[in-house]
Amino acid sequence: MSDTPDAVKATRPGRQGQGRPSSGGQAHPLARFLVRRILLAVLMAWGITLVTFVLTNLVPGDPVAANLGQRALGDPAIVAQWRAEHGLDKPLWQQYALHLQGLLQGDLGTSQQSHRPVSQDLAEFVPATLELAGAAILVSLVLGVAFGVVAALRRDRLADHTLRLLSLIGISVPTFWLALLAFYVFFYRLQLTPGSGRVDAALGSAPAVTGLQTVDALLAGRWDIFTSAVGHLITPALVLALYTIGLLTRFTRSAVLEVLGQDYVRAARAKGLPARVILFRYVLRSALVPIITVAGLAFGSLLSGTVLVEAIFAWPGVGQYAYKSATTLDLPAVMGVGLVVGVVYLVINLIVDVLYGVIDPRVRLQ
């Protein structure tokens, strides 16, 4: 009989994998993390449909009067027919049930103004807003994070004070006033930027693939359209990004300063590691989690802040569509816009949660 202890035998790898931790039936922590977030997003999407429907129907005003006019209101038969065609003669719970049933089938209803499916209208207007907001958040991330890092590394110096002052101006200046000023100065007075719209009317549009003028122009090889689209995009994107740049600058500065005071950063400096390695491998990686949070919320706020900017620059996006729908009490269109904006928020939050798990493993393990 062997004198080898049983505990030692159990740790020796055998044909049946004795001593190895069993992982059968257990999902990866990141996979479980994603499943929980997706289920939560689905539940919140249902809540968005309910809140949007209730708030839309609580808005004071009569959609019949907004759409038919005073002469048609005097004919009860026309009013009853219009209500029946749009389902307004049913109780609210039945209207919501029909609305939810249509959403599950991909039907957002029919616009009372354009007389087209709301999904078709949104497919036309949403890409323009996404292009504008996407360009704005890209500029905001690059400049805001860079300015914040420089301000933190030059703490209490001239560069720090200058960037903090500029960020305060960016946060304080109203976006609509800045849009009017930029349009007047750069287009009307100096004629440095193109006018309104997304592209010069004489050039037409590139074949629609993604709905984004810049991307579609590149796919079609139309450099003239691409140049015109970028020229039309620069001014409204910068105007829209100014507030976010100021916000990210101040937040990044605060996050980087907090990390710079940690013991492991001091230890890395004591070891003689290059400043670039310390900045990118230690400081920025640790500061990314709060920065990503602010960036995700900022992108959502950009979508809601495009209404006035789109109106000033005549940008044919979902902001103008939402404004026209609200003024005419086009209930299906208003609910469609609310649902799209809510879903975009959910997708952004889901992406932020995934980035949390990728950057910081402790998030997905908890």
Side-chain angles (χ1 to χ4, degrees):
M1 181 180 295
S2 175
D3 295 333
T4 305
D6 293 339
V8 177
K9 291 181 182 180
T11 59
R12 290 181 178 176
R15 285 187 238 177
Q16 298 179 352
Q18 295 179 354
R20 296 177 182 176
S22 174
S23 60
Q26 294 184 0
H28 192 274
L30 184 57
R32 297 197 302 269
F33 178 80
L34 290 176
V35 170
R36 291 197 302 268
R37 291 298 186 270
I38 292 174
L39 292 177
L40 181 60
V42 172
L43 181 62
M44 293 183 66
W46 170 78
I48 289 173
T49 63
L50 180 60
V51 172
T52 303
F53 179 84
V54 172
L55 292 180
T56 302
N57 284 274
L58 289 178
V59 173
D62 188 1
V64 179
N67 289 274
L68 292 183
Q70 294 298 325
R71 177 174 297 182
L73 284 177
D75 191 337
I78 295 178
V79 173
Q81 181 182 358
W82 193 90
R83 288 184 176 274
E85 288 179 356
H86 295 86
L88 298 179
D89 58 337
K90 298 179 175 63
L92 282 180
W93 68 269
Q94 290 187 8
Q95 294 182 36
Y96 177 70
L98 293 174
H99 174 65
L100 196 60
Q101 181 181 357
L103 291 179
L104 295 176
Q105 298 174 355
D107 182 14
L108 300 180
T110 303
S111 173
Q112 299 166 3
Q113 290 297 307
S114 64
H115 304 291
R116 298 194 307 173
V118 174
S119 57
Q120 185 177 346
D121 287 344
L122 292 176
E124 178 181 342
F125 293 110
V126 168
T129 297
L130 290 180
E131 185 174 35
L132 178 59
I137 195 63
L138 181 62
V139 172
S140 302
L141 285 173
V142 173
L143 296 181
V145 173
F147 290 165
V149 171
V150 172
L153 296 179
R154 300 289 187 270
R155 183 179 183 180
D156 294 332
R157 300 181 185 177
L158 178 61
D160 181 25
H161 293 306
T162 303
L163 291 173
R164 290 171 64 185
L165 177 62
L166 293 177
S167 66
L168 181 61
I169 294 174
I171 295 175
S172 304
V173 174
T175 302
F176 72 91
W177 181 84
L178 183 64
L180 288 171
L181 181 64
F183 186 82
Y184 175 78
V185 172
F186 295 108
F187 169 67
Y188 183 74
R189 298 294 298 180
L190 302 178
Q191 297 184 355
L192 296 176
T193 58
S196 57
R198 300 178 65 188
V199 68
D200 291 338
L203 297 176
S205 300
V209 178
T210 63
L212 310 177
Q213 286 287 349
T214 52
V215 177
D216 291 345
L218 288 177
L219 294 177
R222 294 291 304 273
W223 293 100
D224 53 345
I225 296 179
F226 174 77
T227 304
S228 176
V230 172
H232 283 78
L233 183 62
I234 288 176
T235 306
L238 288 177
V239 168
L240 198 60
L242 184 62
Y243 173 82
T244 311
I245 291 174
L247 183 66
L248 283 174
T249 298
R250 300 177 71 85
F251 206 90
T252 301
R253 178 184 181 274
S254 177
V256 170
L257 285 177
E258 183 178 354
V259 176
L260 287 174
Q262 299 296 321
D263 292 337
Y264 63 86
V265 176
R266 297 194 186 99
R269 288 174 176 169
K271 291 180 180 179
L273 293 178
R276 183 177 59 181
V277 175
I278 295 175
L279 176 62
F280 288 99
R281 184 175 298 179
Y282 293 92
V283 178
L284 282 183
R285 184 179 178 88
S286 300
L288 271 181
V289 172
I291 293 174
I292 288 175
T293 304
V294 176
L297 296 175
F299 184 78
S301 65
L302 285 178
L303 291 178
S304 58
T306 57
V307 177
L308 294 175
V309 175
E310 288 181 0
I312 294 171
F313 289 94
W315 192 267
V318 71
Q320 287 201 59
Y321 181 72
Y323 172 76
K324 294 177 181 178
S325 301
T327 54
T328 58
L329 292 180
D330 190 349
L331 301 185
V334 172
M335 289 188 290
V337 171
L339 178 62
V340 168
V341 174
V343 169
V344 169
Y345 267 98
L346 291 180
V347 172
I348 292 172
N349 287 330
L350 181 61
I351 294 175
V352 169
D353 288 341
V354 172
L355 291 177
Y356 283 169
V358 173
I359 295 173
D360 192 351
R362 294 173 299 177
V363 174
R364 61 175 181 263
L365 291 177
Q366 292 174 358

